[in-house]
Amino acid sequence: MKKFGLITLILIYSCACSSNKTVDCSLVLCATGDYINLELIVDGENVISNGMYTEEDITVTGDVQENIQVQVFSNTIGTTSGLLEISNPDWGPEQYSYIVQLGNDWEFTFEVGFTVTNYPCCGDNLEIISLTSNEVTIEHKRYSSFYTVILN
């Protein structure tokens, strides 16, 4: 009986310490970073959600212009109420520079840097590693999906 107990214990231990260390990705939701979400703030107010600027008032130009897509979301749910989303399927793991113009009132340049992730579940997705400007203040909270641009 002791032999049977010892063999059972050895089998359980060997199964628990299996060298097969596969990652279970079934519950992972992969977020891509191949878009830039900007919250635009003037005098403490989000100028997209308050209706001051609509998609027709906003112009984005820059390095890779051909396939640039600009969308304005004025009623988002979450930690901010309005976002400017900029995306381009031609982006790769490098630096880009863009100019955002809000009507005739505001214009600022920002630089964005991308890298390619190599996470086991999500594969090779673009991820923003830097978003900076010498003209305006840009804030980003860790694990947030948007950057706050303060225009005052």
Side-chain angles (χ1 to χ4, degrees), residues 33 93-95 112-116 126-132 147:
E94 54 191 274
Q95 290 279 125
V112 61
F114 293 99
T115 189
V116 175
L126 282 181
E127 181 176 66
I128 297 173
I129 54 173
S130 66
L131 197 144
T132 60
Y147 293 79

Side-chain angles (χ1 to χ4, degrees), residues 38 40 98-100 106-110 133 135-136 149 151:
L38 301 177
L40 306 172
Y98 287 95
I99 299 169
V100 176
W106 297 97
E107 180 178 294
F108 65 93
T109 302
F110 70 90
S133 176
E135 302 168 3
V136 294
V149 179
L151 296 166

Side-chain angles (χ1 to χ4, degrees), residues 39-50 52 79-82 106 139 148-152:
E39 174 187 46
L40 306 172
I41 303 295
V42 175
D43 294 328
E45 258 192 85
N46 184 316
V47 295
I48 292 176
S49 65
N50 72 5
M52 183 180 278
T79 56
T80 187
S81 55
W106 297 97
E139 298 175 350
T148 301
V149 179
I150 301 171
L151 296 166
N152 323 36

Side-chain angles (χ1 to χ4, degrees), residues 41-88:
I41 303 295
V42 175
D43 294 328
E45 258 192 85
N46 184 316
V47 295
I48 292 176
S49 65
N50 72 5
M52 183 180 278
Y53 297 102
T54 63
E55 196 164 329
E56 293 78 31
D57 303 317
I58 300 173
T59 306
V60 179
T61 57
D63 290 342
V64 181
Q65 187 63 36
E66 290 177 5
N67 293 319
I68 194 164
Q69 298 164 2
V70 176
Q71 288 187 286
V72 172
F73 299 99
S74 59
N75 292 316
T76 59
I77 298 173
T79 56
T80 187
S81 55
L83 291 172
L84 169 64
E85 182 179 277
I86 305 167
S87 63
N88 192 320

